[in-house]
């Protein structure tokens, strides 16, 4: 009987316009993000740049400090600072007091006096003007970063790492957070292109550890995880509100079927109908990666996409559906959509980089094909994260069953129903 009920619930999704919009959105997003297959080629000696094989952290702390100082000198000269306080671009223009505090940090980093710093900027401006003038005489255009030099003042001797990070924390706080001087961005700025030997190690992991398909499965899950974390909630909300819209609540309440079996059948139907198009879309990237592995003459992992979807994407689908069902049953409204949008926005923009995962972030990120070694380091945190959200999904589902059962018994009246009843009384 449960299987028949489950099949009936799946058919209900097939009758929903929202479900087909869900599929269309998945397809369009997939085409935009992964429409072009980007192969990873074997590194060759003498290549100008190995950045396509990831990056490595600079071991020399002096390079990190100098890179931060170079950036600060340029932004101080412009009088404006690039920040991303909540993940979106914001131009920070300091007032006179803030500019003085930034200048104090510059003086501490360089060991210069105010007069010496002003003279350095004056000399730099004269050098730039001379380069531009010479280029104009030659009928050419001076290109920043190539013809126009970058202002360079060295970090003073005796400037310690401890003092550096203390100054950078103070500076980032002054700028409102998310600046180039936050700890995360400083670490990212300290990254550099790998050497040929390091690039070969990355490529070897791509071939023998990820077996080609694992790398592309991870990238597929990164893109699809962002999409599923927001659009899946629409399936839950529309299905949960359907009974009230069709005025079938009282008929269903009178049936002998348990609330647990009824909610579980709806929930599992939502999971099945959400994951089917995801597996269907993965077939395209899987086929391309398998073909590419055969072209390289290496063994591939045919089940990589199945494992990654089950491990990476399923918890996102489960918890998003659970939250949608719970809040919709609790309020008899579509407020779950608003809650999920806020959660999605915060999760996406709180990720420190495109390759990151924290214990409580809904959306793990790994936006790169290469980087198996980095993934191995992250895997314990990702595993903890995915287990946490799976357990949370189960808890929310059980709460949904309890709320639904209380509503059937007349013990509980949803928030939305209370508001509507009060409104009707006032109108009467």
């Amino acid at each position: 009987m449960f299987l028949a009920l489950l099949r009936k619930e799946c058919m209900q999704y097939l009758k929903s316009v929202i479900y087909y919009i869900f599929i269309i959105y998945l397809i369009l997003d997939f085409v935009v993000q992964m429409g072009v297959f980007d192969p990873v080629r074997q590194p060759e000696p003498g290549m100008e740049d190995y950045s396509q094989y990831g990056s490595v952290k600079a071991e020399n702390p002096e390079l990190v400090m100098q890179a931060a100082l170079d950036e600060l000198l340029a932004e101080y000269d412009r009088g404006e600072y690039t920040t991303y306080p909540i993940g979106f671009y914001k131009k920070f223009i300091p007032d006179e007091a803030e500019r003085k505090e930034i200048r104090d940090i510059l003086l501490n980093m360089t060991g210069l006096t105010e007069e010496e710093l002003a003279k350095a900027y004056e000399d730099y401006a004269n050098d730039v003007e001379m380069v531009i003038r010479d280029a104009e005489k030659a009928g050419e255009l001076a290109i920043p970063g190539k013809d126009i030099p970058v202002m360079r003042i060295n970090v003073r001797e005796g400037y310690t790492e401890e003092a550096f990070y203390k100054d950078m924390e103070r500076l980032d706080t002054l700028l409102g957070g998310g600046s180039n001087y936050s700890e995360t961005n400083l670490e990212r700025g300290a990254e550099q292109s790998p050497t040929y030997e390091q690039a070969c190690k990355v490529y070897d992991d791509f071939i023998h550890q990820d077996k080609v398909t694992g790398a592309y499965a991870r990238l597929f899950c990164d893109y699809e995880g962002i999409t599923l974390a927001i659009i899946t909630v629409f399936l839950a909300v529309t299905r949960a509100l359907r009974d009230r819209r069709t005025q079938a609540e009282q008929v269903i309440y009178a049936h002998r079927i348990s609330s647990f079996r009824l909610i579980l059948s709806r929930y599992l139907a939502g999971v099945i109908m959400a994951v089917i198009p995801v597996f269907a879309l993965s077939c395209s990237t899987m086929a391309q990666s398998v073909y590419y592995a055969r072209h390289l003459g290496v063994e591939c992992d045919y089940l990589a996409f199945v494992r990654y979807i089950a491990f990476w994407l399923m918890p996102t689908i489960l918890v998003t559906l659970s939250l949608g069902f719970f809040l919709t049953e609790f309020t008899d409204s579509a407020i779950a959509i608003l809650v999920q949008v806020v959660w999605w926005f915060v999760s996406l923009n709180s990720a420190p980089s495109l390759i990151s995962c924290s214990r409580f972030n809904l959306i793990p990120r790994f936006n790169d094909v290469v980087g198996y070694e980095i993934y191995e380091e992250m895997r314990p945190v990702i595993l903890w994260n995915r287990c946490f959200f799976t357990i949370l999904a189960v808890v929310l589902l059980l709460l949904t069953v309890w709320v639904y059962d209380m509503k059937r018994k007349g013990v509980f009246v949803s928030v939305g129903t209370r508001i509507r009843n009060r409104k009707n009384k006032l109108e009467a």
Side-chain angles (χ1 to χ4, degrees):
M1 182 177 176
F2 180 78
L3 292 178
L5 185 60
L6 179 62
R7 184 167 57 251
K8 182 180 178 181
E9 288 295 335
C10 289
M11 294 302 296
Q12 292 295 333
Y13 282 100
L14 291 175
K15 295 176 183 178
S16 171
V17 175
I18 295 296
Y19 180 66
Y20 294 102
I21 295 176
F22 170 86
I23 294 176
I24 292 171
Y25 189 92
L26 275 179
I27 294 173
L28 291 176
D29 182 72
F30 173 80
V31 171
V32 170
Q33 301 291 355
M34 300 199 68
V36 178
F37 185 82
D38 188 16
V40 178
R41 305 190 185 282
Q42 185 171 2
E44 299 176 1
M47 291 176 65
E48 292 185 3
D49 185 19
Y50 294 100
S51 59
Q52 62 179 301
Y53 304 98
S55 59
V56 294
K57 290 184 179 180
E59 298 296 333
N60 191 342
E62 284 74 19
L63 294 177
V64 179
M65 292 189 283
Q66 188 62 56
L69 176 58
D70 292 344
E71 183 67 30
L72 180 55
L73 287 167
E75 291 195 318
Y76 181 80
D77 186 39
R78 292 195 301 268
E80 57 185 47
Y81 300 79
T82 298
T83 64
Y84 293 84
I86 56 172
F88 289 93
Y89 169 77
K90 179 183 177 182
K91 180 169 66 175
F92 181 90
I93 300 178
D95 57 28
E96 189 56 38
E98 291 167 335
R99 184 171 173 82
K100 181 182 183 304
E101 191 170 349
I102 296 171
R103 183 168 60 249
D104 290 341
I105 294 174
L106 261 177
L107 297 178
N108 187 41
M109 293 180 72
T110 60
L112 302 177
T113 64
E114 286 191 37
E115 292 74 17
E116 290 172 333
L117 182 63
K119 182 65 167 58
Y121 274 110
E122 184 180 345
D123 292 343
Y124 173 68
N126 292 334
D127 291 342
V128 171
E129 185 178 350
M130 185 179 298
V131 170
I132 294 175
R133 189 167 55 245
D134 291 343
E136 289 177 346
K137 287 181 180 180
E140 299 175 351
L141 181 66
I143 302 174
K146 181 181 179 183
D147 303 311
I148 299 177
V150 176
M151 184 176 184
R152 187 66 182 264
I153 299 176
N154 294 328
V155 175
R156 67 175 171 85
E157 291 186 14
Y159 188 59
T160 64
E161 274 191 87
E162 182 181 358
F164 168 71
Y165 281 105
K166 186 176 180 180
D167 280 342
M168 293 300 100
E169 182 180 2
R170 173 184 164 198
L171 178 58
D172 183 60
T173 302
L174 177 68
L175 299 177
S179 71
N180 294 318
Y181 315 102
S182 66
E183 185 175 355
T184 298
N185 287 331
L186 286 172
E187 290 179 359
R188 193 180 305 155
E191 293 176 346
Q192 58 189 26
S193 179
T195 62
Y196 169 69
E197 290 74 16
Q198 290 169 329
C200 288
K201 173 63 169 61
V202 170
Y203 183 77
D204 185 70
D205 287 341
F206 169 74
I207 295 296
H208 298 106
Q209 300 297 331
D210 269 326
K211 298 182 179 179
V212 180
T213 49
Y216 289 103
R218 200 162 49 238
L219 182 64
F220 173 83
C221 288
D222 174 73
Y223 284 125
E224 294 306 306
I226 297 173
T227 305
L228 290 168
I230 188 169
I231 66 172
T232 311
V233 72
F234 288 89
L235 299 181
V237 171
T238 53
R239 181 63 194 95
L241 288 177
R242 183 179 180 277
D243 292 340
R244 188 169 65 81
R245 189 173 62 250
T246 58
Q247 298 181 340
E249 286 179 320
Q250 298 305 318
V251 176
I252 296 174
Y253 287 173
H255 285 188
R256 289 187 175 182
I257 185 172
S258 69
S259 298
F260 178 79
R261 293 176 66 182
L262 183 62
I263 294 299
L264 182 62
S265 64
R266 291 180 177 181
Y267 179 74
L268 290 180
V271 173
I272 292 170
M273 300 308 290
V275 80
I276 285 176
V278 174
F279 273 114
L281 286 174
S282 72
C283 291
S284 173
T285 306
M286 181 183 69
Q288 292 178 83
S289 57
V290 167
Y291 175 81
Y292 184 54
R294 290 178 176 176
H295 172 74
L296 295 174
V298 300
E299 179 186 2
C300 64
D301 182 358
Y302 291 97
L303 296 178
F305 279 81
V306 176
R307 289 202 317 275
Y308 271 99
I309 289 173
F311 163 68
W312 197 295
L313 296 183
M314 280 298 292
T316 300
I317 293 173
L318 294 175
V319 75
T320 305
L321 282 173
S322 290
L323 181 69
F325 273 107
F326 171 68
L327 289 180
T328 305
E329 290 297 342
F330 187 77
T331 65
D332 270 341
S333 71
I335 195 173
I337 294 175
L338 176 61
V339 172
Q340 188 64 37
V341 167
V342 172
W343 192 12
W344 173 85
F345 179 84
V346 172
S347 297
L348 187 61
N349 290 289
S350 62
S353 69
L354 297 179
I355 299 178
S356 63
C357 179
S358 64
R359 289 178 179 267
F360 301 106
N361 194 311
L362 177 63
I363 309 173
R365 300 302 313 273
F366 205 99
N367 193 254
D368 203 345
V369 178
V370 297
Y372 177 81
E373 188 173 341
I374 299 174
Y375 170 70
E376 279 294 292
E377 294 176 1
M378 290 173 55
R379 188 154 62 174
V381 178
I382 297 175
L383 179 61
W384 196 101
N385 174 286
R386 299 291 80 188
C387 289
F388 170 78
F389 282 110
T390 300
I391 294 171
L392 179 60
V394 173
V395 172
L396 287 172
L397 180 63
L398 293 176
L399 286 174
T400 305
V401 173
W402 178 80
V403 169
Y404 191 83
D405 194 53
M406 293 299 100
K407 287 167 68 176
R408 290 180 72 178
K409 295 175 179 178
V411 176
F412 176 80
V413 179
S414 70
V415 176
T417 301
R418 292 177 187 176
I419 295 174
R420 285 189 295 272
N421 290 342
R422 186 176 301 175
K423 183 179 179 182
N424 292 336
K425 287 181 180 180
L426 291 174
E427 290 177 353

